[in-house]
Amino acid sequence: MGQPRRITDSFPRRRRPGRPPGKIKVKGKGKGKACPKSCPPAPTEDPPAPASAPAQAVLDMLRHFDLCWEYGPCAGITRLQRWERAQALGLSPPGPVLDAILEHPNDPAVTYRWVSHPT
């Protein structure tokens, strides 16, 4: 019984032109050198906070909307899609929820349902 075959035995070996056979390229050779001039400078201060972060009361209202089963399931869709679906079905979802969603369209804490487990 011979040696076990490897997956690489099925493919032909390719050599790059200009490199002698058996020569291995060293990957960690240039570590510790300074960045070239094209690298952006490292940030010296914390990034600015979003201008209009939602208040905790808004997030609590949205969490209450998530937990109300009368507006249908909330898995796999955004809060806006759920609100619009409930409106189309005539379930009269709360208006302040829509206002909060439209006020913070780019904030994932408002747009999507976040499941938080108590620790």
Side-chain angles (χ1 to χ4, degrees):
M1 185 182 237
Q3 288 187 351
R5 290 188 46 144
R6 297 181 182 161
I7 187 76
T8 55
D9 294 340
S10 302
F11 301 101
R13 292 188 124 180
R14 292 178 41 190
R15 302 261 183 220
R16 290 186 183 172
R19 190 175 292 172
K23 178 101 175 172
I24 299 174
K25 184 177 179 182
V26 179
K27 291 188 178 184
K29 193 172 184 178
K31 289 185 180 178
K33 290 186 178 181
C35 283
K37 292 181 181 180
S38 62
C39 288
T44 56
E45 57 188 52
D46 294 333
S52 60
Q56 186 62 35
V58 171
L59 294 175
D60 289 339
M61 176 186 59
L62 293 171
R63 191 172 299 115
H64 179 70
F65 175 68
D66 291 339
L67 297 175
C68 284
W69 281 101
E70 65 181 283
Y71 305 118
C74 57
I77 60 174
T78 64
R79 286 180 171 141
L80 180 60
Q81 290 171 334
R82 184 173 184 238
W83 193 95
E84 290 172 343
R85 181 188 62 199
Q87 180 70 25
L89 294 173
L91 300 175
S92 64
V97 171
L98 178 64
D99 296 338
I101 294 170
L102 295 178
E103 185 178 340
H104 306 280
N106 297 327
D107 189 355
V110 174
T111 306
Y112 302 103
R113 175 177 179 242
W114 292 93
V115 179
S116 61
H117 298 286
T119 56

